[in-house]
Amino acid sequence: DSYTSSLYEVYGYGKVGFIITSLSDNSNRTVKEIKAIANKNNIKMANPGSVLFSFENKGVIKIPTKYNEDDVIEASLNNGIDDIDFIEQIEGDEEEENLSTDPLNKLITTAPNNLNKLLDILESDLKYEKISGSLEYIPIDRVIVNKDDYD
């Protein structure tokens, strides 16, 4: 079977842009399903490029909060990786559930081509356990959507 990766851009509640990536053996079926889900949930398909410019493709690594950021930075710099950053938690209304925060983990971003090298450094040099990494589209500007935006 031959698989094709595709990228779709949509606007959700509060006119927030989302990137949807897929890997499918039938791109026609995939786009049909994405459009059906979008229509059912009042999400609008966007023109190519109208949402993507608001995101950066990054390597993202999740590490437990018990690990020291300074150790990560030092090990990265010693191995030639100087483009790491820690994603700040978004503070929202304390009464509302904020799905963008994870009190048990920190998120580190790096250039996509450094993802595997940084994972190796954290696992072998620093002996970190229970870490994971992936390529993701990270918003350049993050926003909080409140209940009023769901209308």
Side-chain angles (χ1 to χ4, degrees):
D1 288 331
S2 175
Y3 289 88
T4 304
S5 64
S6 299
L7 184 138
Y8 304 94
E9 302 172 51
V10 299
Y11 288 109
Y13 297 108
K15 298 181 182 158
V16 173
F18 291 90
I19 303 295
I20 301 170
T21 58
S22 70
L23 183 64
S24 175
D25 63 344
N26 185 333
S27 58
N28 291 331
R29 180 185 66 225
T30 303
V31 73
K32 186 176 177 182
E33 289 179 17
I34 288 173
K35 285 181 178 181
I37 292 168
N39 288 334
K40 182 178 177 183
N41 293 286
N42 201 24
I43 295 170
K44 311 249 184 296
M45 299 297 291
N47 293 325
S50 61
V51 173
L52 189 59
F53 78 93
S54 299
F55 291 80
E56 295 177 303
N57 192 16
K58 293 281 193 174
V60 178
I61 299 173
K62 184 189 297 188
I63 63 170
T65 55
K66 66 181 179 181
Y67 295 130
N68 186 306
E69 289 182 20
D70 291 336
D71 292 342
V72 173
I73 293 168
E74 183 178 345
S76 300
L77 291 173
N78 289 341
N79 286 280
I81 298 177
D82 61 358
D83 65 346
I84 70 163
D85 196 15
F86 290 85
I87 295 179
E88 295 294 320
Q89 301 282 345
I90 292 181
E91 298 299 328
D93 185 342
E94 291 184 20
E95 294 180 11
E96 294 184 27
E97 184 177 354
N98 187 349
L99 298 178
S100 64
T101 62
D102 181 354
L104 302 177
N105 293 290
K106 296 178 187 179
L107 296 178
I108 304 168
T109 62
T110 188
N113 59 330
N114 286 335
L115 176 62
N116 289 329
K117 184 177 180 182
L118 186 53
L119 279 169
D120 289 343
I121 292 166
L122 296 175
E123 290 172 339
S124 54
D125 292 5
L126 297 178
K127 308 293 186 227
Y128 283 8
E129 297 176 346
K130 297 184 180 175
I131 64 174
S132 62
S134 61
L135 293 175
E136 299 180 20
Y137 285 94
I138 303 296
I140 294 170
D141 293 314
R142 297 168 72 184
V143 296
I144 296 173
V145 179
N146 15 31
K147 290 180 182 178
D148 296 340
D149 294 323
Y150 289 105
D151 296 331

